[in-house]
Amino acid sequence: MAITNEQKNCQWRIARRPKGNVVAEDFLYHEEEIPILQDNEILLRTLYLNLAPVMRMYMSGESIAGEKGLDIGDVIHGRGVAEVIKSNNSNYKPGEILQGQIGWQTFKSTEVTERERFRKINNCGLPFSIGLSTLGMTGLSAYFGLLACGKPKKNETIVVSGAAGGVGSTVIQIAKMIGCRVIGLAGNQAKCDLIKELGCDEAINYRTEDIRQTLSNLCQNGIDIYFDNVGGDILSASLDHLAQNSRIVLCGSISEYLHDKPYGLDNYTKLRRTNSCMQGFFIYNYSAQFDAAEKELSSWLKERKIKPVEHIYDGFENMPKALSSIYDGGNYGVALSRIRHGPNDDE
Amino acid sequence: MAITNEQKNCQWRIARRPKGNVVAEDFLYHEEEIPILQDNEILLRTLYLNLAPVMRMYMSGESIAGEKGLDIGDVIHGRGVAEVIKSNNSNYKPGEILQGQIGWQTFKSTEVTERERFRKINNCGLPFSIGLSTLGMTGLSAYFGLLACGKPKKNETIVVSGAAGGVGSTVIQIAKMIGCRVIGLAGNQAKCDLIKELGCDEAINYRTEDIRQTLSNLCQNGIDIYFDNVGGDILSASLDHLAQNSRIVLCGSISEYLHDKPYGLDNYTKLRRTNSCMQGFFIYNYSAQFDAAEKELSSWLKERKIKPVEHIYDGFENMPKALSSIYDGGNYGVALSRIRHGPNDDE
C-alpha cells in the first residue's frame, strides 16, 4: 500500500465527463494544503472512502439524492470513515471515528450541520470500515428496503439480484434470519459460492444461465419479493414470475448506469394481474429511523447473526481504477478504498 | 331499438381472431333454442351487457383474470344484468334482477356456483344498469383501486387518466368526496366538460395538450396519486412528475390493447428517487369485501354524493360495432349494451 502524503490534502477531482465506464483521464489528481480549522469545525483525517455506482452519475453532472451533480474541477462526492484529529465542536473529540460525506480527499475540515451529520461509529469490535458497510448507507438500505418496503414473512420466496454486492449480501442474511427462502443472482461462480455461504438457498449465475427458465424452475409458486439492485432484464424476468400480492423493491439499477438509453420495461402490467407492488425507495427518507435501525443492525453483528462483506481496494491513488472495476462486476460486497489503516483494522 | 327475438337465444360468437380493432367479420351471429332449465339452475333473461376493453383480449385467446381465452366459435365473455325468469334454486326468485357472467347472449341457464356468483342488485331507485356501473365491477374497481391502493388523503393531488371512462368517472367523484384536488385526462372537449361537471378541478385534453408541460404547470408540488386507466405515454409522463411518497394505481392499460408490441416504460426508476410505489390491482382479489363496498357505494348513490355515468348503446344486434367504438375513445362512462328495457329504466 502506497503511503498517503500526511503533509498535504490529496484529492481526486473530475477532469471531464465520463463516457461509458470511467477511465483514468476522467480524473484529476490534486494536492493542496491541509485545511485550517475554523470556528465550530472539526478536522477529519480520512480512513476509508466508499466506491458506489452512483458516483459516475454525479460525474455526469446529474443531481441525485439531494447531492448536486459535479462541475468540472470539483472534488468527487463520496461518503467515508474518518478520524477526528482536531475539534472546535464540543460534541466531537479527537480520536473519535465518524462516517459521513467526506469526498475523495485525505483530509476535510467541516461544520457539522443538520444536512451533513457525521455519525459516530459503534464498531462492535470490528474494523471501522463497518461504518460504510453494515452500519453505513449500505446496511441501512438493505434494512429499510427489505423490512419496510419488502415486508418479508417467514417461508416467503425472495429473489435478490446483485446478491453478492454490499446491499444484496446484507439482504440475504436478514432474509434468512426471518426464515425466507432466498434465491440470489450474481455474475460469476465465485460470487455464487459467496452468496450460498451467506445463506442463499439457490444461486443463479445470470451470465451463464437462462434467467427466465431458471426462475420458472425454482419459483414454481412465484416470487413473493424481488429485491432489485440491477434493473433492466432481470427486473423484467422477475415481473414474469410474480406470485399474487408480491412486492418488488427497487433499490438500484447498476445495469443501467452505463447505458445511454434507459431500459424500456415492457411487462410492468404484470403488476396488475398479480395484485403486486413495485416500491421505489430512497434511503434518506428513513433518516429519522436510522438510529433505531443501526442499533438493531449492531445487535445482529454482535450476536454474529450477520456479517459484513467488504471488498477493500488499497490506496487513495488507486481510487479511479477501483471505481471503474465496480461497473465491470469485479467486486463483491461493499466496495471501499482504504486510505489509511484505522484502529482495529484487521491488517 | 330493434326487437330482440324472444323465441330464441340470440348469441354473438367469435368468428376469428381480431387484428387491431375488432371489425364485423370477427363476430358470428347465432340463434339457438332458449335453454331448458335443469336441476338447481336459474334461467336468466338478459337486460344489459357490459362492453369492456378486455373483451378484445379474450377474443385474441388470452386468458385473463381467471377467465380463459375464447376459442373460435365460443360465445363472447361478458358480464351483464339479467332478470330471473325461472328458478330451480331456492335462493333466487323469478323477477329478481342479478348481475354476473352472462356472455353475449339474450338468455342463459346456469347453476350459481362459488365461482359464478350472481349478485342481486340493490338499485337505489336507479335503472338496473347500475349493476354494471357504480355497483358493478366498474364501481368496485374505482372503490378498491382508489381507497385500498391509492390511499388518498385530504388535499392530495390526484391525476386520473381515462377520467371520462367508467372507472375514471367514479374515481373522480370519490376523490372529491375525500377532499383531494383532482386532475383528469380525457380525449376530447366533451369529455373534458363532463369530468369538470363531475368535480375535476382541472381537465387535460391529452390529444391536444402537451401532457408533460401541462402536468408541470398544474402539479408544481408533484402528483400524490396517479390513477392509471390507460398505460403507455401518460403513465410515463406521470412518473416524471411524482411527489415524494406517491402512489401509482395500475388499473387499466387501454392504450396498449391495440398494440402488438407493449409499451416500454423507460423511466420506472423515478419510483426510486421519490420513494414511490406502483401498485397493480386485480379486482377479484377483493371479492371478500365486495358486500361492504357495495353497501357504501349504495349509500353514496342514495345520498346523491356520486352518480353513475353510463354510455348505453342500444340493441343486441349492434354489440360488435359498439365494442369497436370503445377502443376509438368514442364512449364516456361505463359502456353498456341495452338488450331489453328493464324495470325502472328511464325510457
Side-chain angles (χ1 to χ4, degrees):
Chain A
M1 178 178 161
I3 304 298
T4 296
N5 185 339
E6 297 291 349
Q7 311 309 317
K8 295 281 183 185
N9 182 21
C10 309
Q11 299 180 326
W12 281 110
R13 298 175 167 231
I14 171 172
R16 62 175 194 187
R17 302 284 179 216
K19 288 183 184 132
N21 199 346
V22 293
V23 294
E25 292 75 14
D26 301 333
F27 299 87
L28 176 73
Y29 181 79
H30 178 80
E31 288 186 359
E32 59 182 31
E33 296 307 310
I34 295 170
I36 292 163
L37 194 67
Q38 307 295 320
D39 286 353
N40 301 317
E41 286 192 343
I42 55 176
L43 180 62
L44 297 169
R45 186 171 163 271
T46 312
L47 301 179
Y48 296 95
L49 289 170
N50 192 208
L51 298 160
V54 72
M55 286 167 180
R56 187 183 163 278
M57 297 173 83
Y58 295 139
M59 292 178 72
S60 300
E62 287 188 62
S63 175
I64 292 170
E67 296 288 352
K68 67 176 180 46
L70 296 167
D71 290 326
I72 302 300
D74 283 351
V75 175
I76 291 167
H77 287 316
R79 301 184 69 84
V81 167
E83 182 182 352
V84 180
I85 52 174
K86 291 183 187 170
S87 175
N88 283 336
N89 178 322
S90 58
N91 293 320
Y92 296 88
K93 291 181 187 52
E96 287 178 341
I97 315 270
L98 313 179
Q99 61 120 323
Q101 183 59 246
I102 291 172
W104 288 27
Q105 55 188 343
T106 59
F107 290 94
K108 176 174 184 161
S109 185
T110 182
E111 281 195 59
V112 178
T113 62
E114 189 51 44
R115 174 158 163 61
E116 290 223 355
R117 289 200 300 149
F118 285 81
R119 301 170 62 81
K120 293 178 199 176
I121 302 169
N122 168 16
N123 69 322
C124 306
L126 294 163
F128 280 92
S129 52
I130 198 81
L132 291 176
S133 58
T134 312
L135 300 181
M137 288 305 140
T138 310
L140 292 169
S141 294
Y143 183 93
F144 289 106
L146 182 63
L147 302 179
C149 301
K151 301 186 182 72
K153 291 189 278 289
K154 194 174 170 177
N155 296 324
E156 284 192 325
T157 293
I158 165 166
V159 172
V160 185
S161 59
V167 175
S169 60
T170 312
V171 167
I172 291 171
Q173 298 179 75
I174 301 176
K176 285 311 298 179
M177 273 178 45
I178 290 165
C180 296
R181 175 169 172 256
V182 183
I183 299 169
L185 289 109
N188 64 42
Q189 190 55 45
K191 291 184 179 183
C192 285
D193 292 345
L194 168 69
I195 62 178
K196 289 202 91 165
E197 192 190 308
L198 292 172
C200 268
D201 298 281
E202 309 282 349
I204 303 175
N205 181 337
Y206 69 83
R207 289 190 207 263
T208 59
E209 296 182 53
D210 177 329
I211 301 168
R212 282 188 157 74
Q213 187 57 52
T214 310
L215 288 177
S216 285
N217 296 344
L218 295 178
C219 307
Q220 306 211 343
N221 296 320
I223 298 169
D224 296 300
I225 301 174
Y226 170 57
F227 195 105
D228 185 34
N229 289 306
V230 302
D233 266 342
I234 301 180
L235 171 58
S236 173
S238 296
L239 276 160
D240 282 339
H241 291 90
L242 297 179
Q244 287 291 312
N245 301 305
S246 57
R247 291 82 73 199
I248 292 177
V249 181
L250 293 182
C251 180
S253 318
I254 195 170
S255 75
E256 302 225 12
Y257 287 138
L258 298 185
H259 293 141
D260 287 336
K261 203 169 168 298
Y263 185 86
L265 190 66
D266 66 6
N267 60 346
Y268 68 89
T269 54
K270 294 292 172 72
L271 293 171
R272 285 206 348 248
R273 302 194 193 168
T274 57
N275 220 70
S276 294
C277 171
M278 188 152 88
Q279 172 75 55
F281 93 101
F282 176 44
I283 186 60
Y284 294 95
N285 280 356
Y286 293 93
S287 53
Q289 302 165 62
F290 279 179
D291 287 342
E294 205 181 78
K295 205 169 155 192
E296 189 157 28
L297 286 163
S298 293
S299 74
W300 292 338
L301 280 170
K302 279 182 202 144
E303 296 164 28
R304 300 291 182 262
K305 286 184 176 168
I306 60 173
K307 61 179 181 185
V309 182
E310 298 168 350
H311 190 132
I312 299 184
Y313 294 87
D314 257 323
F316 185 72
E317 65 283 8
N318 297 320
M319 288 191 72
K321 213 173 122 191
L323 182 61
S324 165
S325 80
I326 73 172
Y327 296 105
D328 295 331
N331 67 301
Y332 53 86
V334 182
L336 308 173
S337 278
R338 176 155 46 197
I339 311 309
R340 299 176 177 93
H341 277 273
N344 225 27
D345 257 17
D346 50 0
E347 296 179 55
Chain B
M1 178 179 159
I3 304 300
T4 296
N5 184 339
E6 298 290 351
Q7 311 310 316
K8 295 282 183 185
N9 182 22
C10 309
Q11 299 179 326
W12 281 109
R13 298 174 167 229
I14 172 171
R16 62 176 195 187
R17 303 285 178 214
K19 289 185 184 131
N21 199 344
V22 293
V23 294
E25 292 74 15
D26 300 333
F27 299 86
L28 175 73
Y29 182 78
H30 178 79
E31 289 186 358
E32 58 181 31
E33 295 307 311
I34 295 170
I36 292 164
L37 194 67
Q38 307 295 319
D39 287 352
N40 301 316
E41 286 193 343
I42 56 176
L43 180 61
L44 297 169
R45 187 172 163 269
T46 311
L47 301 179
Y48 297 95
L49 289 170
N50 192 207
L51 297 161
V54 71
M55 285 167 181
R56 186 186 164 278
M57 297 174 82
Y58 294 139
M59 291 177 73
S60 300
E62 286 188 62
S63 174
I64 292 170
E67 294 289 352
K68 69 177 178 49
L70 296 167
D71 291 326
I72 302 300
D74 283 351
V75 175
I76 291 168
H77 287 316
R79 300 184 68 84
V81 166
E83 181 181 354
V84 180
I85 51 174
K86 290 184 188 170
S87 175
N88 282 338
N89 177 324
S90 57
N91 293 320
Y92 297 88
K93 290 184 188 53
E96 288 177 341
I97 314 271
L98 313 181
Q99 61 122 321
Q101 182 59 244
I102 291 171
W104 288 27
Q105 56 189 343
T106 58
F107 291 92
K108 176 174 184 162
S109 186
T110 181
E111 281 196 58
V112 178
T113 62
E114 190 50 43
R115 174 159 163 61
E116 291 225 352
R117 290 203 299 151
F118 286 81
R119 300 170 60 81
K120 293 177 199 178
I121 302 168
N122 169 14
N123 68 319
C124 306
L126 295 162
F128 280 92
S129 51
I130 197 80
L132 290 177
S133 59
T134 312
L135 300 181
M137 288 304 138
T138 309
L140 291 170
S141 294
Y143 183 95
F144 289 105
L146 182 63
L147 302 179
C149 301
K151 301 186 180 71
K153 291 189 279 284
K154 195 174 172 178
N155 296 325
E156 284 192 325
T157 293
I158 165 166
V159 172
V160 185
S161 60
V167 175
S169 60
T170 311
V171 167
I172 292 170
Q173 298 179 76
I174 300 176
K176 285 311 297 178
M177 272 178 45
I178 290 165
C180 295
R181 175 168 173 257
V182 183
I183 299 169
L185 290 108
N188 64 42
Q189 190 54 49
K191 290 184 180 184
C192 286
D193 293 344
L194 169 69
I195 63 179
K196 289 202 94 165
E197 190 190 308
L198 291 172
C200 267
D201 298 280
E202 308 283 351
I204 303 175
N205 181 337
Y206 69 83
R207 288 189 206 263
T208 60
E209 297 182 53
D210 177 329
I211 301 168
R212 281 187 159 74
Q213 188 56 54
T214 310
L215 288 177
S216 285
N217 297 343
L218 295 178
C219 307
Q220 306 210 343
N221 296 320
I223 298 169
D224 297 299
I225 301 174
Y226 170 56
F227 195 105
D228 184 34
N229 289 307
V230 302
D233 267 343
I234 301 180
L235 170 58
S236 173
S238 296
L239 275 160
D240 282 339
H241 292 88
L242 296 180
Q244 287 292 312
N245 301 307
S246 59
R247 290 81 72 197
I248 292 178
V249 181
L250 294 183
C251 181
S253 319
I254 194 170
S255 76
E256 301 225 13
Y257 287 139
L258 297 186
H259 294 141
D260 286 336
K261 204 172 165 302
Y263 185 85
L265 189 66
D266 66 7
N267 60 346
Y268 67 90
T269 55
K270 295 291 173 74
L271 293 171
R272 281 200 358 239
R273 302 194 192 168
T274 56
N275 220 71
S276 295
C277 170
M278 187 153 88
Q279 172 75 54
F281 94 99
F282 175 45
I283 186 60
Y284 293 95
N285 281 356
Y286 292 93
S287 54
Q289 301 165 61
F290 279 179
D291 287 343
E294 203 182 81
K295 207 170 154 190
E296 189 156 29
L297 286 162
S298 293
S299 73
W300 293 338
L301 280 169
K302 278 181 201 143
E303 297 162 29
R304 299 293 181 259
K305 288 185 177 167
I306 60 173
K307 63 180 181 183
V309 182
E310 297 167 351
H311 190 131
I312 298 182
Y313 295 86
D314 257 322
F316 185 73
E317 65 283 7
N318 296 321
M319 288 191 73
K321 212 172 124 193
L323 181 61
S324 165
S325 79
I326 72 172
Y327 296 105
D328 295 331
N331 67 301
Y332 53 84
V334 182
L336 308 172
S337 278
R338 174 154 46 198
I339 311 309
R340 300 177 175 93
H341 278 274
N344 226 26
D345 258 14
D346 50 1
E347 295 178 53

